Structure formats: C-alpha cells, structure tokens
Amino acid sequence: AMGVVLLPRGSVGLYLADVSGHGVGAALLSYTLNHLLSPSREGSLLVEDAGGGPATVSPARLAGRLNRQFPMERTRQYFTLIYGTYDGTEGRFRYVVAGHPSPLLLGQGEPPVELPGRGLPIGMIESAAYRDETVPLAPGDRLYFYTDGATEALDASGAEFGRLRLMAEIDRVRDLPLGEGLELLADAVRDWSGGSPGDDVSLLAIERVTSRPGPGSDRRPAGTW
C-alpha cells in the first residue's frame, strides 16, 4: 500500500506499507489500508475534528490507531509502515516508523543519510508504542522511502542490493527530476536481480522545491513500484 494524500491546512501526507505474506489476504489488507488512509473517506484515520475544523492526526497517533484496529490475532498478518506529514508553512516533515526501513534524506550538497526512527510492525503487539520524529527540509532537500524488497533484492550470486548501494544510487540521480530519478532507482534494483526481485519493491519520495512561505507551495512527491 502506498499513497500521497492532501491534508487539511495545506499539508501533504505520504505513506508506504508492506504487508507480510503474499496472495489474496495480503492484497485485501493493502486495499483496506489504501481505503482507510484516504482523506476523502468519511471517518478517515488521517483527519480528526480539532474543534476549529478538521486537523491532521499525528503520525504516531495514526500508527497506534492502526495497531489497535489490525491485531495479528485477528488478521493473521502484520504490516510495516512509514507515514509522514509535510507542513509547507514550517518546512518540516513529521513521521513515524513502524517496523519499516527508516527514510533516507538527501540534503543539498550532502550525501544521503538514514534518519532515525523505530517501532514495532503494526499488529504485532497490542501494547506497542510509537513516537513521532521530525526533520526540517530546506529547499532542494529530498526524502526517500522504500520497502525492504529493494535492499534485499538478490543478484545471481546471492548478494543483496543493500542499503549502501541504494544510497549510492540516490546520490547518483540527485540532479535529475524526482520522478525520473525514482524510475532509475527502480531500474537499478530490477537489473541487480535480473529483472525479478524476490519481494515487492516500492519507492516513494518527496522534494521541497521552493522557499516560498505558505501551505501547498513547496513540495513535489513522486512514487514508483
């Protein structure tokens, strides 16, 4: 499950979830997650009434809601998740990591770095606690999200593509438009694995493109899978 959603007050949300297992059950859970995380749906988990109108639910609170709603004892599955919201007024990205690979930050003139963030997969333990992480984004900064199918893709000799190789590829495409660079990242993973990675591969990224104040003016999301 993957999506980019418009949120109240000019914010934008991004999520990437990776459901355990394969087959019909995993597909149905992915479909359900995409439906629940749609802000246009009445009763969306992403939005709540804050008294003065709709407001965005914090990423950590969303993870807690999902964890209670999808216990593994009932669904027989769990899923990893990264979800974040970007506020163009403050230029900050707030996110939660639940068993998922942490996001990669590509700053202007800097090599890619892995950002902090940890938490149990959704549904694994009822009492799991989640916390928000926050990162400021300067104009030109990019954030990348990925499923572990990208880093765990194997070549003919059984070697993994790996996080360091993924970071090197992100650095290599830094001067290309965001969407074009993501396509090349996906091609690099496919080429490494001979055209057929052993697991689902999803990539999602967001770039802050201007320094203008005001909501909705300075982000460019893109995704591929």
Side-chain angles (χ1 to χ4, degrees):
M2 178 172 73
V4 178
V5 294
L6 297 178
L7 297 170
R9 303 173 187 175
S11 295
V12 64
L14 295 90
Y15 66 89
L16 186 55
D18 193 7
V19 180
S20 64
H22 298 278
V24 175
L28 286 175
L29 182 51
S30 293
Y31 175 84
T32 300
L33 289 173
N34 281 327
H35 181 64
L36 287 175
L37 299 180
S38 169
S40 60
R41 173 185 175 271
E42 184 176 352
S44 168
L45 297 181
L46 301 181
V47 179
E48 62 186 355
D49 188 348
T56 300
V57 173
S58 78
R61 187 170 180 186
L62 170 72
R65 287 181 173 183
L66 290 171
N67 192 60
R68 292 188 296 272
Q69 189 163 343
F70 294 98
M72 193 165 62
E73 292 82 357
R74 177 170 59 83
T75 64
R76 305 300 180 188
Q77 292 175 300
Y78 64 88
F79 59 93
T80 67
L81 172 76
I82 181 166
Y83 169 70
T85 60
Y86 176 69
D87 183 333
T89 303
E90 298 182 354
R92 289 183 174 273
F93 191 81
R94 185 167 55 163
Y95 64 95
V96 66
V97 175
H100 203 85
S102 295
L104 303 174
L105 171 65
L106 181 67
Q108 285 281 72
E110 300 290 338
V113 295
E114 186 175 38
L115 293 178
R118 60 184 302 176
L120 290 171
I122 301 295
M124 186 166 283
I125 296 179
E126 183 179 359
S127 60
Y130 301 95
R131 69 176 233 178
D132 286 333
E133 305 283 353
T134 303
V135 58
L137 294 182
D141 286 356
R142 293 177 173 182
L143 281 176
Y144 288 84
F145 312 91
Y146 61 97
T147 55
D148 58 13
T151 52
E152 294 176 0
L154 302 178
D155 69 2
S157 68
E160 289 190 345
F161 189 75
R163 181 173 55 86
L164 293 180
R165 186 171 283 105
L166 179 64
M167 295 169 73
E169 289 295 324
I170 287 173
D171 196 33
R172 186 175 67 86
V173 301
R174 66 186 309 144
D175 294 326
L176 295 177
L178 190 63
E180 184 179 344
L182 276 178
E183 292 292 343
L184 290 177
L185 288 178
D187 288 344
V189 175
R190 282 191 288 263
D191 291 345
W192 180 263
S193 59
S196 57
D199 201 355
D200 295 335
V201 175
S202 297
L203 301 166
L204 184 63
I206 186 172
E207 176 184 10
R208 182 174 181 180
V209 295
T210 79
S211 57
R212 288 188 311 230
S217 64
D218 55 353
R219 75 267 176 170
R220 179 188 293 139
T224 186
W225 63 102

